[in-house]
Amino acid sequence: MKQRIQLGACVVIAVALIACRTQCKIDPPPNVIGTTKEIEAKAAANALASAISGGELSGHYQNTVNNTYQTVGQDDVAFYLLLQAYNCESARGNAAGAAEILKLAREELARRHDQPPPPPHVAATSKTLTKTEQHVLRKSPLKGAISSKLAQPAVAASPAPSASPAASPSR
């Protein structure tokens, strides 16, 4: 009985450590800190981070995207937060989920500005701002940050190459 309890405790600790390692940090952009929009941005960021860390997003991307835009109330801030979620899913190795978040975030941004959505292959894969995004973000202080987050999504962590004897220089 004592061994079962110890084994159970070890499993719980291992799961907790793995969960901590895979947690994703989504932060509101610096330009909303200290403003009236800070609370909404933090609430949306926390909801996104919790959903990704808990693996709750799968299949609920549309609701997540809509809720983020509605909670924040600023399209550039919502898009910035969703790009962080896109990067988190990429880092977790969930390429399909990341592409879906990006596609839906772009489609919703276009819809909110009465623009046609980008073609699905562009919406899910393009690493540059679409024409609609360029127009919507033209006066946003987040335009540069959004462009850089879009251009360089986080990738799944891979183990460092091990130094094998064959790879080491001979002396």
Side-chain angles (χ1 to χ4, degrees), residues 26-29 37 39-52 57 60-86 101 104-105 108-109 112:
I26 296 178
D27 293 315
K37 292 293 182 180
I39 293 170
E40 291 93 348
K42 281 185 176 180
N46 289 338
L48 277 171
S50 295
I52 289 172
L57 277 183
H60 297 68
Y61 296 109
Q62 184 70 55
N63 291 339
T64 301
V65 169
N66 291 344
N67 289 342
T68 301
Y69 276 103
Q70 289 173 359
T71 301
V72 174
Q74 282 183 267
D75 292 346
D76 59 340
V77 174
F79 195 67
Y80 177 88
L81 295 172
L82 289 164
L83 283 180
Q84 288 183 70
Y86 157 73
I101 290 172
L104 291 170
E108 181 61 14
L109 185 67
R112 293 170 74 85

Side-chain angles (χ1 to χ4, degrees), residues 2-16:
K2 187 176 180 181
Q3 288 178 339
R4 282 187 180 173
I5 293 172
Q6 288 175 338
L7 178 62
C10 288
V11 169
V12 168
I13 291 171
V15 168

